[in-house]
mmCIF file of all heavy atoms in Angstrom:
data_model
loop_
_atom_site.group_PDB
_atom_site.id
_atom_site.type_symbol
_atom_site.label_atom_id
_atom_site.label_comp_id
_atom_site.label_asym_id
_atom_site.label_seq_id
_atom_site.Cartn_x
_atom_site.Cartn_y
_atom_site.Cartn_z
ATOM 1 N N GLU A 284 -6.738 27.332 14.920
ATOM 2 C CA GLU A 284 -5.635 28.255 14.718
ATOM 3 C C GLU A 284 -4.715 27.704 13.647
ATOM 4 O O GLU A 284 -4.681 26.511 13.410
ATOM 5 C CB GLU A 284 -4.875 28.432 16.029
ATOM 6 C CG GLU A 284 -5.650 29.256 17.002
ATOM 7 C CD GLU A 284 -4.931 29.350 18.308
ATOM 8 O OE1 GLU A 284 -3.999 30.155 18.376
ATOM 9 O OE2 GLU A 284 -5.259 28.614 19.222
ATOM 10 N N LEU A 304 5.107 24.913 11.887
ATOM 11 C CA LEU A 304 4.517 26.020 12.631
ATOM 12 C C LEU A 304 5.017 27.326 12.067
ATOM 13 O O LEU A 304 5.758 27.357 11.108
ATOM 14 C CB LEU A 304 4.901 25.907 14.106
ATOM 15 C CG LEU A 304 4.520 24.588 14.746
ATOM 16 C CD1 LEU A 304 5.193 24.442 16.080
ATOM 17 C CD2 LEU A 304 3.035 24.502 14.904
ATOM 18 N N GLY A 305 4.634 28.393 12.694
ATOM 19 C CA GLY A 305 5.170 29.685 12.298
ATOM 20 C C GLY A 305 4.170 30.559 11.586
ATOM 21 O O GLY A 305 4.517 31.618 11.114
ATOM 22 N N HIS A 308 3.777 33.401 14.028
ATOM 23 C CA HIS A 308 4.971 33.917 14.692
ATOM 24 C C HIS A 308 5.136 35.413 14.410
ATOM 25 O O HIS A 308 5.044 35.847 13.276
ATOM 26 C CB HIS A 308 6.194 33.156 14.195
ATOM 27 C CG HIS A 308 7.484 33.718 14.696
ATOM 28 N ND1 HIS A 308 7.933 33.489 15.954
ATOM 29 C CD2 HIS A 308 8.382 34.538 14.120
ATOM 30 C CE1 HIS A 308 9.084 34.125 16.131
ATOM 31 N NE2 HIS A 308 9.368 34.780 15.033
ATOM 32 N N LYS A 309 5.351 36.163 15.475
ATOM 33 C CA LYS A 309 5.471 37.605 15.298
ATOM 34 C C LYS A 309 6.826 38.134 15.752
ATOM 35 O O LYS A 309 7.304 39.146 15.267
ATOM 36 C CB LYS A 309 4.381 38.320 16.100
ATOM 37 C CG LYS A 309 2.998 37.942 15.671
ATOM 38 C CD LYS A 309 1.943 38.487 16.579
ATOM 39 C CE LYS A 309 1.751 37.715 17.835
ATOM 40 N NZ LYS A 309 0.910 36.534 17.711
ATOM 41 N N ARG A 329 -0.581 41.268 25.213
ATOM 42 C CA ARG A 329 -1.135 40.973 23.892
ATOM 43 C C ARG A 329 -0.481 39.767 23.224
ATOM 44 O O ARG A 329 -0.707 39.515 22.039
ATOM 45 C CB ARG A 329 -1.036 42.204 23.007
ATOM 46 C CG ARG A 329 -2.282 43.040 23.154
ATOM 47 C CD ARG A 329 -2.132 44.432 22.683
ATOM 48 N NE ARG A 329 -3.343 45.198 22.930
ATOM 49 C CZ ARG A 329 -3.718 45.629 24.135
ATOM 50 N NH1 ARG A 329 -2.978 45.370 25.185
ATOM 51 N NH2 ARG A 329 -4.828 46.300 24.294
ATOM 52 N N GLY A 332 -4.588 36.259 23.592
ATOM 53 C CA GLY A 332 -5.877 36.838 23.918
ATOM 54 C C GLY A 332 -6.673 35.992 24.882
ATOM 55 O O GLY A 332 -7.617 36.467 25.493
ATOM 56 N N GLN A 392 -22.553 25.759 22.350
ATOM 57 C CA GLN A 392 -23.278 27.023 22.498
ATOM 58 C C GLN A 392 -23.578 27.312 23.965
ATOM 59 O O GLN A 392 -23.427 28.426 24.429
ATOM 60 C CB GLN A 392 -24.590 26.971 21.702
ATOM 61 C CG GLN A 392 -24.419 26.740 20.225
ATOM 62 C CD GLN A 392 -24.077 28.020 19.463
ATOM 63 O OE1 GLN A 392 -23.937 29.077 20.056
ATOM 64 N NE2 GLN A 392 -23.921 27.917 18.160
ATOM 65 N N ASP A 403 -18.555 39.535 30.880
ATOM 66 C CA ASP A 403 -19.237 40.725 31.382
ATOM 67 C C ASP A 403 -18.561 41.238 32.639
ATOM 68 O O ASP A 403 -18.410 42.439 32.842
ATOM 69 C CB ASP A 403 -20.701 40.399 31.692
ATOM 70 C CG ASP A 403 -21.525 40.386 30.424
ATOM 71 O OD1 ASP A 403 -21.009 40.855 29.395
ATOM 72 O OD2 ASP A 403 -22.670 39.897 30.463
ATOM 73 N N GLU A 406 -15.533 43.025 31.763
ATOM 74 C CA GLU A 406 -15.826 44.334 31.194
ATOM 75 C C GLU A 406 -16.170 45.322 32.298
ATOM 76 O O GLU A 406 -15.745 46.479 32.267
ATOM 77 C CB GLU A 406 -16.976 44.216 30.205
ATOM 78 C CG GLU A 406 -17.014 45.409 29.290
ATOM 79 C CD GLU A 406 -18.083 45.280 28.236
ATOM 80 O OE1 GLU A 406 -18.784 44.263 28.223
ATOM 81 O OE2 GLU A 406 -18.198 46.217 27.451
ATOM 82 N N ARG A 412 -13.195 43.256 27.393
ATOM 83 C CA ARG A 412 -13.573 41.847 27.478
ATOM 84 C C ARG A 412 -12.389 40.915 27.306
ATOM 85 O O ARG A 412 -12.340 39.844 27.907
ATOM 86 C CB ARG A 412 -14.591 41.513 26.394
ATOM 87 C CG ARG A 412 -15.950 42.079 26.608
ATOM 88 C CD ARG A 412 -16.701 42.181 25.298
ATOM 89 N NE ARG A 412 -16.686 40.960 24.540
ATOM 90 C CZ ARG A 412 -17.620 40.022 24.612
ATOM 91 N NH1 ARG A 412 -18.636 40.187 25.410
ATOM 92 N NH2 ARG A 412 -17.534 38.946 23.883
ATOM 93 N N ARG A 644 15.135 32.215 7.778
ATOM 94 C CA ARG A 644 13.995 32.765 7.049
ATOM 95 C C ARG A 644 13.860 32.127 5.682
ATOM 96 O O ARG A 644 12.764 31.863 5.219
ATOM 97 C CB ARG A 644 14.185 34.270 6.860
ATOM 98 C CG ARG A 644 13.903 35.034 8.106
ATOM 99 C CD ARG A 644 13.744 36.465 7.741
ATOM 100 N NE ARG A 644 13.830 37.301 8.910
ATOM 101 C CZ ARG A 644 13.825 38.613 8.831
ATOM 102 N NH1 ARG A 644 13.773 39.192 7.663
ATOM 103 N NH2 ARG A 644 13.873 39.323 9.924
ATOM 104 N N GLY B 174 -2.575 36.681 14.681
ATOM 105 C CA GLY B 174 -2.928 37.571 15.786
ATOM 106 C C GLY B 174 -2.700 36.921 17.121
ATOM 107 O O GLY B 174 -1.993 35.922 17.233
ATOM 108 N N CYS B 175 -3.326 37.496 18.123
ATOM 109 C CA CYS B 175 -3.113 36.993 19.470
ATOM 110 C C CYS B 175 -4.261 36.109 19.890
ATOM 111 O O CYS B 175 -4.333 35.722 21.036
ATOM 112 C CB CYS B 175 -2.987 38.139 20.434
ATOM 113 S SG CYS B 175 -4.554 38.882 20.790
ATOM 114 N N GLU B 181 -13.397 36.831 19.439
ATOM 115 C CA GLU B 181 -14.553 37.701 19.333
ATOM 116 C C GLU B 181 -15.349 37.397 18.060
ATOM 117 O O GLU B 181 -16.565 37.495 18.066
ATOM 118 C CB GLU B 181 -14.133 39.177 19.369
ATOM 119 C CG GLU B 181 -13.550 39.617 20.705
ATOM 120 C CD GLU B 181 -14.545 39.575 21.852
ATOM 121 O OE1 GLU B 181 -15.044 38.469 22.150
ATOM 122 O OE2 GLU B 181 -14.814 40.617 22.465
ATOM 123 N N PRO B 188 -25.014 32.253 21.491
ATOM 124 C CA PRO B 188 -26.410 32.673 21.633
ATOM 125 C C PRO B 188 -26.620 34.169 21.855
ATOM 126 O O PRO B 188 -27.608 34.715 21.396
ATOM 127 C CB PRO B 188 -26.869 31.890 22.862
ATOM 128 C CG PRO B 188 -26.010 30.716 22.893
ATOM 129 C CD PRO B 188 -24.705 31.107 22.316
ATOM 130 N N ARG B 189 -25.715 34.837 22.553
ATOM 131 C CA ARG B 189 -26.016 36.231 22.841
ATOM 132 C C ARG B 189 -25.998 37.088 21.573
ATOM 133 O O ARG B 189 -26.765 38.022 21.450
ATOM 134 C CB ARG B 189 -25.042 36.794 23.859
ATOM 135 C CG ARG B 189 -25.461 38.188 24.227
ATOM 136 C CD ARG B 189 -24.559 38.852 25.203
ATOM 137 N NE ARG B 189 -24.599 38.251 26.517
ATOM 138 C CZ ARG B 189 -23.863 38.710 27.515
ATOM 139 N NH1 ARG B 189 -23.050 39.718 27.323
ATOM 140 N NH2 ARG B 189 -23.905 38.132 28.688
ATOM 141 N N TYR B 190 -25.089 36.793 20.645
ATOM 142 C CA TYR B 190 -24.965 37.633 19.449
ATOM 143 C C TYR B 190 -25.619 36.980 18.236
ATOM 144 O O TYR B 190 -26.346 37.623 17.504
ATOM 145 C CB TYR B 190 -23.490 37.936 19.182
ATOM 146 C CG TYR B 190 -22.855 38.572 20.387
ATOM 147 C CD1 TYR B 190 -22.019 37.851 21.230
ATOM 148 C CD2 TYR B 190 -23.166 39.871 20.726
ATOM 149 C CE1 TYR B 190 -21.485 38.431 22.356
ATOM 150 C CE2 TYR B 190 -22.635 40.455 21.857
ATOM 151 C CZ TYR B 190 -21.795 39.733 22.670
ATOM 152 O OH TYR B 190 -21.293 40.300 23.788
ATOM 153 N N ASN B 216 1.678 37.910 9.141
ATOM 154 C CA ASN B 216 3.095 37.585 9.211
ATOM 155 C C ASN B 216 3.585 37.061 7.874
ATOM 156 O O ASN B 216 2.813 36.696 7.001
ATOM 157 C CB ASN B 216 3.396 36.701 10.424
ATOM 158 C CG ASN B 216 3.372 35.237 10.150
ATOM 159 O OD1 ASN B 216 3.143 34.786 9.045
ATOM 160 N ND2 ASN B 216 3.597 34.471 11.188
ATOM 161 N N LYS B 218 4.966 34.544 6.702
ATOM 162 C CA LYS B 218 4.667 33.210 6.214
ATOM 163 C C LYS B 218 3.215 33.081 5.776
ATOM 164 O O LYS B 218 2.906 32.290 4.899
ATOM 165 C CB LYS B 218 4.959 32.215 7.344
ATOM 166 C CG LYS B 218 5.123 30.819 6.864
ATOM 167 C CD LYS B 218 5.633 29.942 7.964
ATOM 168 C CE LYS B 218 5.759 28.519 7.491
ATOM 169 N NZ LYS B 218 6.324 27.668 8.527
ATOM 170 N N ALA B 252 7.180 44.547 14.726
ATOM 171 C CA ALA B 252 7.791 43.225 14.767
ATOM 172 C C ALA B 252 8.501 42.907 13.458
ATOM 173 O O ALA B 252 8.083 43.348 12.397
ATOM 174 C CB ALA B 252 6.715 42.176 15.035
ATOM 175 N N TYR B 253 9.581 42.154 13.552
ATOM 176 C CA TYR B 253 10.380 41.895 12.356
ATOM 177 C C TYR B 253 9.639 41.026 11.350
ATOM 178 O O TYR B 253 9.915 41.029 10.177
ATOM 179 C CB TYR B 253 11.718 41.256 12.738
ATOM 180 C CG TYR B 253 11.655 39.764 12.986
ATOM 181 C CD1 TYR B 253 11.937 38.871 11.952
ATOM 182 C CD2 TYR B 253 11.303 39.244 14.219
ATOM 183 C CE1 TYR B 253 11.880 37.513 12.159
ATOM 184 C CE2 TYR B 253 11.234 37.895 14.431
ATOM 185 C CZ TYR B 253 11.518 37.025 13.404
ATOM 186 O OH TYR B 253 11.448 35.694 13.607
ATOM 187 N N ASN B 254 8.694 40.268 11.863
ATOM 188 C CA ASN B 254 8.007 39.309 11.003
ATOM 189 C C ASN B 254 6.695 39.852 10.461
ATOM 190 O O ASN B 254 5.883 39.126 9.931
ATOM 191 C CB ASN B 254 7.758 38.034 11.809
ATOM 192 C CG ASN B 254 7.681 36.819 10.933
ATOM 193 O OD1 ASN B 254 8.037 36.882 9.768
ATOM 194 N ND2 ASN B 254 7.206 35.724 11.483
ATOM 195 N N ARG B 275 -15.563 44.751 19.613
ATOM 196 C CA ARG B 275 -16.629 43.987 20.280
ATOM 197 C C ARG B 275 -17.405 43.180 19.236
ATOM 198 O O ARG B 275 -17.463 43.563 18.077
ATOM 199 C CB ARG B 275 -17.591 44.943 20.964
ATOM 200 C CG ARG B 275 -17.017 45.705 22.109
ATOM 201 C CD ARG B 275 -18.120 46.511 22.717
ATOM 202 N NE ARG B 275 -19.201 45.630 23.117
ATOM 203 C CZ ARG B 275 -19.298 45.080 24.324
ATOM 204 N NH1 ARG B 275 -18.405 45.348 25.224
ATOM 205 N NH2 ARG B 275 -20.286 44.293 24.621
#
Side-chain angles (χ1 to χ4, degrees):
Chain A
E284 287 176 79
L304 304 167
H308 173 78
K309 299 172 280 278
R329 270 162 184 74
Q392 300 278 2
D403 281 347
E406 198 176 0
R412 288 157 50 92
R644 284 195 196 175
Chain B
C175 76
E181 293 295 61
R189 185 181 292 180
Y190 304 104
N216 93 1
K218 199 170 178 177
Y253 81 94
N254 207 13
R275 293 184 57 91

